[in-house]
Amino acid sequence: MGPTFLQRVDLGARRLMPFGITLTLMLFAMTPTYITGLSHITPMYAFMAVYFWSIYRPDLLGYGTVFFIGILEDLLAGTPVGSSALILLICQRAVFSQQKFFNSRPFGLIWAAFALLALGASLLRWVCVGLAGPWGFTPFSTMIAGYLMTVAVYPIAAWVMAKAQMKLLATQ
Amino acid sequence: MRQTTGPISRFGTLKSLLQRFAFLSLIGITFALMLIGKADTVLVDRARVAVTDAVTPILRVMSEPAGLIANFINNIHELAAIREENAQLREANARLLQWQAAAQRLESDNQSLRNLLSLVPEPSATFVTARVVADTGGAFAQSIIITAGTQSGVRKGQVVMTGEGVVGRVMQAGLYSSRVLLITDINSRIPVLVGDAGNRAIMAGDNSMRPRLRYLGNRTAAVAGDKVVTSGDAEAFPPGLPIGQVTRVDDGVVEVEPFVVRDKLQHVRVVDFGLAGILADQPPPATPQAKK
């Protein structure tokens, strides 16, 4: 007997979860925290989500979805349209092409790889935003502070996403 | 086995080829979009307005818990200092009552002198209060999204303030939401007056917490502690609005600490001073209109 209508809806919702979490994290990055000094170094939450899901559920987050999230982020954040989408797509491509490397590796190694990839992405976005805007480049130190914040927050974001993955995708 | 793996592996190859094609196409589109954004800002602005209007209700809900927590922490701080603050407020109240009496006397003096001169009053400023629902951009852009748009009378180019000073300018106004370009953003340029001497300069944001003063006529004139206010040049801002204080003068670099703490913004005022503004969509009329 095939799955019932409700089961199919349930399955569909579960498969949309990586997209939903990535989108939520992207919007969460824009939510005011009211903590002094934090707005200038907001971590790249969407980048973390794309990295995580590209490793653990590459089947549920495609290039098109990532592109959509990146464009949405640029439109909302006021950054040059395409700059976020570009680094998210490159992050996903890099993970896809090294799928064997990421397979069953300890978290420390995954984190180190994230730090390396995030550094490249931050530099690339810094160059893109600097070239696309009329007034030149953001101070290098501000960009690096944002990057360090992203690397520092990744374990927390990864832990939350891992919990969500275990709870919601366990039945598949 | 060959009969079963053959089509599957061919399918796999085709899928990976398609994926590579999709990836390269999307990368091409991102570059094209960045170029379009540089060439046609109106088109990109329209897209930003539409998306911001659509997403603002979600941002409004998401910003609610953080606002509640911030208010809760504030309340605890206030409760701890309530006795001390009460004494201070009583003292301030007594002082302000004296000022009120002085102000009422001066207002009536002013009114009678205006009547004597038959002075035409300047149009008074009107304002709209809005909530801050998003603080966007991180290290790469400095703007906030507020919950008031053209339906509430907000227009592009209007000045956004709090009690402390200038927050920024309305960069895009949607129907129900607007984006405010903060004075710390790399695209922000404000004509200012520095210190008591009123030296003219341009305050330029660079996405860091402290904007810098450029084109300061007399570089040695600025010292730490000097107040920075809007100059009113270029009609983007009315003159005399408080912006910040010079915090560092070092080897020709003059940094300004804004009075407004960006991270603490919960509500802002969008003020209509009746200025044409350099950000307005419509170019200013060629001939100045006669005042009625």
Side-chain angles (χ1 to χ4, degrees), chain B:
Chain B
M1 285 302 279
R2 255 187 197 180
Q3 279 177 327
T4 51
T5 52
I8 289 172
S9 78
R10 270 205 296 279
F11 178 69
T13 316
L14 186 69
K15 198 180 164 193
S16 101
L17 268 176
L18 272 175
Q19 276 196 338
R20 179 171 288 191
F21 175 73
F23 170 74
L24 289 175
S25 313
L26 290 172
I27 291 285
I29 295 172
T30 60
F31 278 110
L33 284 171
M34 277 189 266
L35 283 176
I36 292 171
K38 210 167 161 65
D40 188 352
T41 51
V42 176
L43 188 73
V44 175
D45 277 0
R46 273 193 199 144
R48 284 191 204 280
V49 166
V51 168
T52 309
D53 256 358
V55 178
T56 295
I58 302 170
L59 290 170
R60 190 194 278 249
V61 173
M62 285 182 76
S63 68
E64 208 65 63
L68 284 176
I69 293 168
N71 284 340
F72 180 70
I73 292 169
N74 270 346
N75 281 344
I76 289 174
H77 281 302
E78 279 171 13
L79 272 177
I82 203 160
R83 271 180 163 278
E84 199 183 325
E85 203 179 332
N86 201 15
Q88 279 175 359
L89 286 174
R90 278 174 195 281
E91 201 183 309
N93 196 30
R95 208 170 51 241
L96 287 174
L97 278 172
Q98 289 174 2
W99 275 111
Q100 191 191 24
Q104 278 168 347
R105 201 180 63 241
L106 286 172
E107 194 186 355
S108 69
D109 276 2
N110 206 348
Q111 193 58 47
S112 61
L113 289 171
R114 276 168 192 265
N115 288 345
L116 277 175
L117 289 169
S118 308
L119 189 78
V120 179
E122 283 181 23
S124 58
T126 56
F127 66 87
V128 179
T129 306
R131 223 186 103 200
V132 178
V133 288
D135 187 332
T136 68
F140 296 111
Q142 313 274 311
S143 61
I144 53 173
I145 295 172
I146 57 171
T147 56
T150 49
Q151 280 220 329
S152 319
V154 174
R155 298 281 177 275
K156 188 177 178 179
Q158 284 176 347
V159 182
V160 180
M161 299 189 69
T162 65
E164 285 92 37
V166 176
V167 175
R169 266 179 299 183
V170 176
M171 196 187 186
Q172 288 135 15
L175 265 182
Y176 313 103
S177 66
S178 305
R179 176 188 305 282
V180 178
L181 185 80
L182 299 177
I183 55 176
T184 48
D185 188 278
I186 199 161
N187 294 310
S188 167
R189 297 288 183 279
I190 303 173
V192 293
L193 298 176
V194 186
D196 293 334
N199 291 305
R200 281 174 199 280
I202 297 286
M203 193 181 79
D206 64 355
N207 285 349
S208 73
M209 287 168 87
R210 296 199 175 106
R212 292 176 175 191
L213 293 182
R214 291 194 185 169
Y215 313 113
L216 187 62
N218 186 358
R219 277 178 190 277
T220 52
V223 287
D226 274 355
K227 297 269 187 299
V228 177
V229 298
T230 53
S231 73
D233 294 335
E235 286 204 8
F237 291 89
L241 302 180
I243 290 183
Q245 203 168 14
V246 174
T247 48
R248 196 169 73 97
V249 184
D250 187 16
D251 200 20
V253 176
V254 185
E255 283 185 350
V256 179
E257 169 117 38
F259 288 134
V260 174
V261 182
R262 170 196 179 180
D263 305 277
K264 300 283 178 199
L265 289 176
Q266 287 200 41
H267 293 92
V268 291
R269 274 178 180 185
V270 185
V271 193
D272 182 7
F273 288 104
L275 297 169
I278 50 172
L279 271 179
D281 282 325
Q282 300 292 328
T287 51
Q289 285 177 335
K291 271 188 180 176
K292 284 181 184 174

Side-chain angles (χ1 to χ4, degrees), chain A residues 10-27:
Chain A
D10 182 52
L11 191 71
R14 282 168 199 271
R15 292 182 74 81
L16 275 176
M17 197 193 64
F19 166 68
I21 288 182
T22 311
L23 192 67
T24 309
L25 279 179
M26 187 269 282
L27 293 174

